[in-house]
Amino acid sequence: MNIPSNLKYTKDHEWVLIEGDVATVGITDFAQKELGDIVYVEVETLDQALAKDEVFGTVEAVKTVSDLFLPLSGEIFEFNDDLEVNPENVNSDPYGKGWMIKVKIANPAEIDELLDSDGYKQLIGA
């Protein structure tokens, strides 16, 4: 199970890379394995400011559709357009080519509420 130590995590199985006041968000290796083959990623919240834990999009796998929850309050300013053509990147490279959105962080204090890699390992029993 790939759980990079430089990332933060949510109980909803999203990963977060913090770079200054920008957060890059995707779903974890654990989540993509649970979902199976990803066939579509939809984000209709581009250029919108959302609160932490609001739904920012959905990910569709062969067997199910799952909501994506924003890990930090902020404005979604970028979507990984490559996922429209290659949604399978979420399966093959969840922490690289499979990233989903970039968010301008509105409340940096919320970062402290995210899990570190050890906390996420405990959550999933890894």
Side-chain angles (χ1 to χ4, degrees):
M1 185 76 49
N2 186 7
I3 305 171
S5 60
N6 65 318
L7 302 175
K8 296 289 190 177
Y9 299 89
T10 72
K11 292 177 178 155
D12 296 310
H13 309 287
E14 280 106 12
W15 59 264
V16 185
L17 174 64
I18 308 291
E19 296 174 299
D21 63 350
V22 172
T24 303
V25 179
I27 65 169
T28 64
D29 189 35
F30 175 83
Q32 68 82 17
K33 284 179 181 166
E34 291 290 306
L35 288 167
D37 292 337
I38 306 293
V39 295
Y40 190 68
V41 177
E42 181 176 52
V43 173
E44 293 185 346
T45 52
L46 192 60
D47 299 323
Q48 292 182 28
L50 299 176
K52 179 180 183 271
D53 295 328
E54 280 194 83
V55 174
F56 73 82
T58 57
V59 60
E60 184 177 338
V62 173
K63 298 178 186 173
T64 187
V65 176
S66 187
D67 285 335
L68 298 166
F69 299 96
L70 197 62
L72 299 164
S73 300
E75 181 179 341
I76 299 169
F77 70 90
E78 188 174 343
F79 170 66
N80 182 355
D81 292 327
D82 190 44
L83 295 181
E84 290 180 0
V85 180
N86 300 301
E88 67 276 4
N89 285 345
V90 176
N91 294 114
S92 63
D93 191 11
Y95 303 112
K97 292 180 184 177
W99 71 272
M100 294 180 177
I101 60 167
K102 293 192 178 189
V103 180
K104 176 109 167 102
I105 300 169
N107 184 359
E110 292 175 346
I111 296 169
D112 295 336
E113 299 169 21
L114 298 171
L115 300 170
D116 62 11
S117 59
D118 289 335
Y120 187 68
K121 286 176 189 174
Q122 284 185 330
L123 177 75
I124 62 172

Coordinates of all heavy atoms in Angstrom, one line a residue, residues 14 54 66 73 80 105 123-124:
E14 N -9.0 11.0 0.8 CA -8.4 11.9 -0.1 C -7.0 12.2 0.4 O -6.8 12.2 1.6 CB -9.1 13.2 -0.3 CG -10.3 13.2 -1.2 CD -11.7 13.1 -0.5 OE1 -11.7 13.4 0.7 OE2 -12.7 12.8 -1.2
E54 N -17.4 19.8 1.9 CA -18.4 19.9 0.9 C -18.0 19.0 -0.3 O -16.8 18.8 -0.6 CB -18.6 21.3 0.4 CG -19.5 22.2 1.3 CD -19.9 23.5 0.6 OE1 -20.9 23.5 -0.2 OE2 -19.2 24.5 0.8
S66 N -18.8 7.6 -6.5 CA -18.4 8.0 -5.1 C -18.2 9.5 -5.1 O -17.6 10.1 -6.0 CB -17.2 7.3 -4.7 OG -16.9 7.6 -3.3
S73 N -11.2 24.2 3.3 CA -12.0 25.3 2.7 C -11.2 26.1 1.7 O -10.0 26.3 1.9 CB -12.5 26.2 3.8 OG -13.3 25.5 4.7
N80 N -7.6 18.8 -13.1 CA -6.6 18.0 -14.0 C -7.4 17.6 -15.2 O -8.0 16.5 -15.2 CB -6.1 16.8 -13.2 CG -5.1 16.0 -13.9 OD1 -4.8 16.3 -15.1 ND2 -4.5 15.0 -13.3
I105 N -6.1 27.7 -0.5 CA -6.5 27.4 0.9 C -7.0 28.7 1.6 O -6.4 29.7 1.6 CB -5.3 26.8 1.7 CG1 -4.9 25.5 1.1 CG2 -5.8 26.6 3.2 CD1 -3.6 25.0 1.7
L123 N -6.1 4.4 10.2 CA -7.5 4.4 9.8 C -7.8 3.3 8.9 O -8.9 2.7 9.0 CB -7.8 5.8 9.0 CG -9.1 5.9 8.4 CD1 -10.2 6.2 9.5 CD2 -9.1 7.0 7.4
I124 N -6.9 2.9 8.0 CA -7.2 1.8 7.0 C -6.7 0.5 7.5 O -6.9 -0.5 6.8 CB -6.7 2.2 5.6 CG1 -5.2 2.3 5.6 CG2 -7.4 3.4 5.1 CD1 -4.6 2.5 4.2

